[in-house]
Amino acid sequence: MCGIIGVVSRDEFPSRFLLERLKRLEYRGYDSYGYYDSTSLKRNLGEIIVAGEGKTRIGIAHTRWATHGGVTSENAHPHMGCDDEVVIAHNGIIENYKDLKVMLEKKGHEFSSETDSEVVAHYFEEKLKEKKDVKRAISDFLKEAHGTFAILMMIKGDDSIYAIKRDSPLVLGMCEDKLILASDIYAFSDITTKAIFFENDEYAVIKKGSYEFYAKDGKRIRKDVTSFTWQQEDSEKRAYKHFMLKEIEEEPLVVARMLLSLEHEQKEAFRRLVSLVKKSRKIIFAACGTSYHASLLGAFYLHTTGIEAQTLIASEFKHYANVDADTLVIAISQSGETMDVIDALKYAQEKKAKVVSLVNVPYSTIQRMSALSLSIMAGQEVAVASTKAFVNQAALLLRLAQEFGYKANLANLAEKIKGLIAQKDEIRRIAKDMSRSKDAYILGRGQTYPVAREIALKVKEITYIHAEGMMGGELKHGTIALIEKGTPVISLIGCKDEDMISNSKEVEARGAKMIIITNNPDYQGKKGKAKIKDVVFIDTDNDGKFGILACVAGQLLAYYAADALGREIDKPRNLAKSVTVK
Ligand code: M6R
């Protein structure tokens, strides 16, 4: 969460360039933003507006996802010390900021924000007053500060940016006339393909046309320049009202591309993954949010083939997972930067488990800390609500299960998704109706249980309607008490799943307004045997694809309900795309 940018240029550039670059990181947080271009400090609330008249050769910028302190202009970054000598932008959390603040207040520092980050500016201001040189001050900071940070710092009268990293992502992009520091490569992937990735407790001094990297003890280090490639869909919305719909409609293309890559450029990596699964005593997935739901589906597919597979929400991993050298831990993450997943992997590595990952954003922390990493090749996802990444994660896991005997026809998955998207007008009608409710329940079993949870997450995130996704069988053990006349219940009925049909009847009998997503022909057409009005019929075998396709139907339902409510679909309140705090 939070995105940071630093630019040092050979020639003058318009200050608005800082905001142009920052805009590309807006998905990391959009509570407030600001920049410092060596003459002026600008801070604003809300969406980044790329504007500004000035010119500069150096500057830093920040887009915030609030943790410590409310969404106010005082809490927006960059922050300055008392004498405006030091200016910083910070992503992460300084865990011992209260102790540092007390120490600095005793020395006369006055604070103007409620953030943890402001202590960083005062800390360095104090060290410079004590006549420490900046590098020694940074070494002290790395000893004294606890927590996670990617920090960019400018000092009055100094034409450098100092960049410090521990556990929050930081990368240096190299353009012909500029060096650009950023939270991730997307900030500059349209203008360069060369970058240097910071490792923990490293720092760098970036000047016009030159850079130097140091270890925490102040020793100079050599760093390799990586040439990166990243297949990006055109990230312009074009005719689409929202990125979310554009990304759903890209699903046929990106899923076909990913499956093809497993036969070609990712063939060897896929073969190694299969071999690691074969060799391991058990598989444990670690993931959060949507990626967790994909992993739950993966655990279902693998489990069906007799493999010992389970998944855990990454933030609870160490409380519930027993891992050892015979365990294969598979991290699943769109961003590759989710802190809870990184923590789970560190724990797994301490216990000597083998760590592999399936990620979308290349060169991300999770990819780089894995012994083996496959790309899900979904292309850039801009909307905060993850859609095409889920489809590709689940399809890759289904492909993996096929290697162990799971029967599924993946060759027509892209076509089937297209067919489903073609039903969007009918789905919009059902969604509009659903949008008038305050609660919704989504029921699934087996392969559709993870999907029920994923649809509920989509509904909550973008419509703000309270939604619960649960096991159809569990409903009667309590939650059924909440069903009233007209409560929407989305039932995911796989062909011939008599138990799901019974669970649906149980809520229907209590007045629920049924919405059925199914591949069961009894529900097909207005005159279907089941006589339910709101049906999304998916013409597919019940072979593992149904779960993925049912999820696409749910994504569209959530999208159109949110649209009917006029919600900020791509940037829902309180959320960020990349969750880099615990
Ligand atoms: O980047 P990751 O896949 O690790 O992110 C995990 C979750 O934060 C993410 O899936 C989140 O739940 C999305 N907003 C869901 O739409």
Side-chain angles (χ1 to χ4, degrees), residues 265-306:
E265 68 265 39
Q266 298 207 92
K267 189 174 177 176
E268 178 52 22
F270 186 60
R271 190 198 60 73
R272 283 174 60 204
L273 176 63
V274 172
S275 144
L276 282 170
V277 172
K278 270 187 196 148
K279 280 192 224 143
S280 306
R281 191 170 48 80
K282 64 174 173 183
I283 314 297
I284 309 188
F285 293 101
C288 304
T290 291
S291 299
Y292 168 75
H293 297 143
S295 74
L296 199 52
L297 201 46
F300 169 85
Y301 295 144
L302 288 178
H303 178 80
T304 310
T305 70

Side-chain angles (χ1 to χ4, degrees), residues 288-291 332-336 338 341 384-386 393 457-458 461 576-577 579:
C288 304
T290 291
S291 299
I332 306 210
S333 174
Q334 187 285 130
S335 63
T338 302
V341 180
V384 165
S386 188
Q393 290 163 340
L457 181 63
K458 289 286 95 77
E461 275 187 297
K577 184 82 185 151
V579 184

Side-chain angles (χ1 to χ4, degrees), residues 405-524:
Y406 194 98
K407 296 268 175 291
N409 172 12
L410 275 168
N412 62 5
L413 177 59
E415 275 314 303
K416 295 285 175 192
I417 298 176
K418 264 193 209 157
L420 187 51
I421 292 172
Q423 296 189 50
K424 65 183 177 187
D425 288 342
E426 177 60 5
I427 296 177
R428 187 194 287 130
R429 180 193 66 72
I430 300 172
K432 203 166 170 196
D433 219 15
M434 186 179 94
S435 71
R436 298 188 192 105
S437 308
K438 62 180 187 3
D439 305 294
Y441 296 87
I442 300 97
L443 310 180
R445 261 177 192 264
Q447 67 162 310
T448 58
Y449 160 61
V451 175
R453 292 189 55 181
E454 174 55 12
I455 296 175
L457 181 63
K458 289 286 95 77
V459 171
K460 282 186 275 198
E461 275 187 297
I462 60 167
T463 68
Y464 313 149
I465 293 172
H466 162 251
E468 274 186 55
M470 56 188 305
M471 298 150 174
E474 190 60 12
L475 191 78
K476 58 187 176 292
H477 296 289
T479 309
I480 201 163
L482 299 175
I483 304 296
E484 296 171 357
K485 194 166 172 11
T487 306
V489 174
I490 304 176
S491 210
L492 311 176
I493 303 181
C495 208
K496 303 205 176 70
D497 187 342
E498 292 302 331
D499 291 336
M500 259 321 293
I501 294 174
S502 301
N503 296 147
S504 308
K505 293 227 172 287
E506 287 156 16
V507 280
E508 198 187 338
R510 284 157 179 91
K513 176 152 188 3
M514 299 308 296
I515 300 167
I516 308 286
I517 299 178
T518 187
N519 56 352
N520 183 332
D522 287 353
Y523 292 87
Q524 192 178 9

Side-chain angles (χ1 to χ4, degrees), residues 102-388:
V102 169
M103 180 270 284
L104 289 159
E105 277 172 339
K106 279 189 190 145
K107 297 190 175 189
H109 287 259
E110 285 178 13
F111 287 77
S112 54
S113 78
E114 303 157 304
T115 65
D116 55 324
S117 310
E118 194 188 344
V119 294
V120 179
H122 292 272
Y123 180 95
F124 282 101
E125 192 171 77
E126 186 59 32
K127 290 281 169 181
L128 296 180
K129 258 195 233 154
E130 291 167 9
K131 305 266 177 271
K132 289 240 167 150
D133 74 42
V134 190
K135 286 189 217 143
R136 278 189 52 207
I138 295 175
S139 292
D140 287 355
F141 179 80
L142 286 167
K143 277 186 219 131
E144 284 186 72
H146 304 161
T148 59
F149 40 82
I151 293 167
L152 301 181
M153 174 166 69
M154 287 173 61
I155 297 169
K156 213 177 200 170
D158 184 334
D159 58 1
S160 317
I161 295 179
Y162 297 88
I164 317 168
K165 131 111 186 173
R166 179 183 295 159
D167 281 333
S168 297
L170 188 60
V171 59
L172 174 67
M174 297 144 105
C175 309
E176 210 174 293
D177 59 335
K178 291 183 183 68
L179 292 167
I180 304 180
L181 290 147
S183 300
D184 64 52
I185 55 171
Y186 184 62
F188 46 71
S189 58
D190 56 331
I191 49 178
T192 182
T193 55
K194 292 204 166 15
I196 298 179
F197 294 90
F198 285 69
E199 297 302 333
N200 278 343
D201 285 357
E202 287 178 358
Y203 68 93
V205 185
I206 314 297
K207 287 183 192 297
K208 181 170 69 170
S210 77
Y211 58 86
E212 289 172 356
F213 275 78
Y214 297 89
K216 63 177 171 199
D217 57 6
K219 285 212 180 81
R220 184 101 185 256
I221 47 175
R222 236 195 107 258
K223 296 281 289 180
D224 291 332
V225 177
T226 305
S227 283
F228 64 88
T229 48
W230 185 12
Q231 266 167 318
Q232 283 172 40
E233 295 352 293
D234 178 356
S235 59
E236 291 297 311
K237 257 194 293 181
R238 293 182 190 265
Y240 290 94
K241 193 167 170 193
H242 299 102
F243 277 108
M244 183 176 173
L245 185 60
K246 172 178 179 281
E247 288 162 9
I248 294 172
E249 296 205 2
E250 278 166 10
E251 287 171 352
L253 169 85
V254 298
V255 82
R257 176 172 77 193
M258 184 280 295
L259 289 170
L260 199 65
S261 79
L262 302 180
E263 311 296 323
H264 299 280
E265 68 265 39
Q266 298 207 92
K267 189 174 177 176
E268 178 52 22
F270 186 60
R271 190 198 60 73
R272 283 174 60 204
L273 176 63
V274 172
S275 144
L276 282 170
V277 172
K278 270 187 196 148
K279 280 192 224 143
S280 306
R281 191 170 48 80
K282 64 174 173 183
I283 314 297
I284 309 188
F285 293 101
C288 304
T290 291
S291 299
Y292 168 75
H293 297 143
S295 74
L296 199 52
L297 201 46
F300 169 85
Y301 295 144
L302 288 178
H303 178 80
T304 310
T305 70
I307 289 173
E308 187 67 42
Q310 65 173 118
T311 180
L312 286 168
I313 297 236
S315 55
E316 290 297 329
F317 192 85
K318 59 176 168 238
H319 302 137
Y320 291 96
N322 259 329
V323 293
D324 56 23
D326 293 329
T327 312
L328 179 66
V329 175
I330 307 183
I332 306 210
S333 174
Q334 187 285 130
S335 63
E337 297 294 349
T338 302
M339 185 59 80
D340 289 328
V341 180
I342 293 171
D343 260 21
L345 296 189
K346 283 185 185 164
Y347 173 80
Q349 281 168 336
E350 272 165 31
K351 301 280 175 195
K352 310 272 181 263
K354 189 81 147 188
V355 166
V356 303
S357 61
L358 311 183
V359 298
N360 194 33
V361 177
Y363 308 98
S364 52
T365 306
I366 292 172
Q367 188 193 66
R368 287 182 295 124
M369 70 193 288
S370 310
L372 169 71
S373 187
L374 270 78
S375 169
I376 61 156
M377 299 186 91
Q380 199 205 359
E381 238 187 14
V382 177
V384 165
S386 188
T387 52
K388 58 179 178 166

